[in-house]
Amino acid sequence: MKVLVIGGGAREHALCRSLSLDPDVTALHCAPGNAGIAEVAELHPVDQLDGDAVARLATELGAELVVVGPEAPLVAGVADAVRAAGIPVFGPSKEAALLEGSKAFAKDVMAGAGVPTARSYVCTTPEEIDEALDAFGAPYVVKDDGLAAGKGVVVTEDVAQARAHALACDRVVIEEFLDGPEVSLFAITDGTTVLPLQPAQDFKRALDGDEGPNTGGMGAYSPLPWADPKLVEEVLATVLQPTVDELRRRGTPFSGLLYAGLAITSRGVRVIEFNARFGDPETQVVLARLKTPLAGVLLNSANGTLADQAPLNWADDAAVTVVVASHNYPDTPRTGDPIEGLAEIAEQDAPHAYVLHAGTKLDGAKVVSAGGRVLSVTATGTDLAQARERAYAAVGRIRLDGSQHRTDIARKAAEA
């Protein structure tokens, strides 16, 4: 099978790495990719928001499966253009991707499906914003209705900060605060059958102890030793399957990766948000544990044949990923700094630890930073403690001027 992956972050590097290890994949392409992906796939320049350009590239390459990684191309309708060209594509249509593209749409779908979530108000005027903030009280949860690269949510005790964020958005969802630990659960679906993956937990705040501003994610781990063994079964029955059924009922079937961000509250499981694609950095740890070859699973989703898929096979190992971010992230990051130590990790830490590139590019023969989140250092081990140890040993070899990373990823879970 010839596969084309669209995107250029650590999520796409994780997907490409897994696909490169699949014996059924005869040729692997990525557009636009990054310096790390170039080691496992052939790179091609493309405007990833231009559906016609992506479809043309897929046709020229003779791709038999296109995997759309990021949310922006999905919301722009890139999967529709590829489907119209007659090529199987892993990723929802533009209409179905609104589940991530609009928080208000997602709330409406959840209401129709009877999915448990936070009470909320959709606001478009200063008066509505003030009423909603007053109704819920602190801590305030304010979400930009549209895409914001994982940084459109503010959770704060400061009403002035909450109001300022709300006023900066065209349309905003203000909701009640959900207590309890958060869990990310991915599911692959063809619009009818839903196949859940293993749960993970990610770390959104920039600094240790969940302090500092929200980011796209600073690390993740899987499995979750503290979670109820029946969690996946419960979420499949109460969240994932009802949502897929509701979207199909509306005439906008969802095919691809459905991501549920969950809070395990004192009143039970509640949905914080849906995404329409693999999450970053949770993908890095979930795929590190998946033993079933990936391409066939994604193709079954694209072809509507997921009911024929054999049960997934998972490693008992734990996986931890630590994000190395550039100077000043999540504000305007500094880029163009050389990255050293990658060869040392490949020589000394493989195969248990490896580096997935996020914001990198080649500058001549040098790898340099090209974004806010630069690398995802991922490691596996017999338990979380060993996986953590290996991940941080590898992080210690990286030399990137001004870089930052959290030192507490998976610490609590490993010590429990």
Side-chain angles (χ1 to χ4, degrees), residues 175 190 194 254 268 273 336 343 401 407:
E175 62 184 42
D190 58 6
V194 182
F254 188 105
E273 63 175 352
D401 188 47
T407 66

Side-chain angles (χ1 to χ4, degrees), residues 148-153 204-207 211-218 323-334 371-374 402 404 406:
K151 289 175 274 188
V153 179
K204 288 289 188 207
R205 299 283 188 169
L207 307 175
E211 299 288 336
N214 247 6
T215 71
M218 295 299 289
V323 171
V324 177
S326 54
H327 177 74
N328 205 39
Y329 177 77
D331 294 327
T332 307
R334 193 174 78 205
R373 292 186 296 171
V374 181
Q404 51 174 316
R406 282 184 58 159

Side-chain angles (χ1 to χ4, degrees), residues 5-378:
V5 176
I6 302 302
R11 163 187 45 233
E12 288 74 38
H13 193 177
L15 286 163
C16 285
R17 179 181 182 274
S18 288
L19 290 165
S20 74
L21 298 171
D22 186 333
D24 288 337
V25 175
T26 51
L28 183 57
H29 302 271
C30 187
N34 62 38
I37 295 173
E39 295 175 14
V40 295
E42 186 180 337
L43 303 191
H44 305 270
V46 78
D47 176 355
Q48 58 183 348
L49 298 180
D50 184 338
D52 292 337
V54 171
R56 266 196 313 275
L57 175 61
T59 303
E60 286 164 15
L61 294 173
E64 293 155 288
L65 174 66
V66 174
V67 179
V68 183
E71 60 273 27
L74 291 168
V75 171
V78 166
D80 302 271
V82 176
R83 272 194 197 95
I87 300 168
V89 58
F90 181 79
S93 66
K94 178 177 182 173
E95 281 188 308
L98 260 185
L99 199 63
E100 176 168 7
S102 167
K103 302 286 190 297
F105 176 75
K107 288 288 187 184
D108 189 57
V109 170
M110 283 188 267
V115 167
T117 186
R119 292 178 301 123
S120 63
Y121 295 102
V122 179
C123 307
T124 54
T125 68
E127 292 76 23
E128 288 173 347
I129 288 166
D130 288 341
E131 279 178 31
L133 292 172
D134 189 47
F136 286 130
Y140 303 98
V141 181
V142 184
K143 300 180 174 182
D144 190 333
D145 180 54
L147 291 180
K151 289 175 274 188
V153 179
V154 165
V155 181
T156 180
E157 298 278 348
D158 183 343
V159 69
Q161 185 188 358
R163 189 170 191 272
H165 181 65
L167 290 170
C169 304
D170 287 337
R171 185 158 79 149
V172 69
V173 174
I174 295 173
E175 62 184 42
E176 67 175 327
F177 176 76
L178 296 174
D179 63 335
E182 294 185 14
V183 173
S184 300
L185 186 61
F186 301 159
I188 292 170
T189 179
D190 58 6
T192 302
T193 301
V194 182
L195 187 65
L197 305 186
Q198 288 289 302
Q201 186 174 56
D202 77 332
F203 295 76
K204 288 289 188 207
R205 299 283 188 169
L207 307 175
D208 283 8
D210 293 325
E211 299 288 336
N214 247 6
T215 71
M218 295 299 289
Y221 70 93
S222 177
L224 311 182
W226 49 267
D228 185 328
K230 292 183 178 169
L231 176 67
V232 173
E233 200 180 301
E234 180 191 343
V235 174
L236 175 62
T238 62
V239 174
L240 299 170
Q241 192 70 57
T243 300
V244 168
D245 292 345
E246 172 68 11
L247 285 164
R248 189 176 65 253
R249 187 188 69 77
R250 291 172 177 229
T252 54
F254 188 105
S255 166
L257 194 291
L258 177 59
Y259 164 123
L262 309 164
I264 313 300
T265 77
S266 52
R267 292 173 296 148
V269 174
R270 297 287 184 273
V271 175
I272 300 169
E273 63 175 352
F274 282 126
N275 290 341
R277 39 76 197 180
F278 277 104
D280 182 347
E282 300 98 317
T283 302
Q284 289 85 303
V285 291
V286 172
L287 291 186
R289 299 184 56 227
L290 180 64
K291 292 170 77 173
T292 301
L294 184 62
V297 186
L298 303 187
L299 187 63
N300 277 333
S301 164
N303 286 338
T305 52
L306 206 55
D308 302 332
Q309 174 67 45
L312 298 179
N313 189 8
W314 296 93
D316 292 331
D317 286 2
V320 172
T321 195
V322 179
V323 171
V324 177
S326 54
H327 177 74
N328 205 39
Y329 177 77
D331 294 327
T332 307
R334 193 174 78 205
T335 58
D337 289 312
I339 303 164
E340 296 176 339
L342 299 175
E344 292 167 38
I345 294 171
E347 287 165 15
Q348 298 179 46
D349 300 291
H352 301 298
Y354 49 88
V355 178
L356 297 167
H357 291 233
T360 70
K361 67 177 183 181
L362 283 170
D363 182 5
K366 283 190 309 187
V367 178
V368 300
S369 61
R373 292 186 296 171
V374 181
L375 305 168
S376 282
V377 180
T378 304

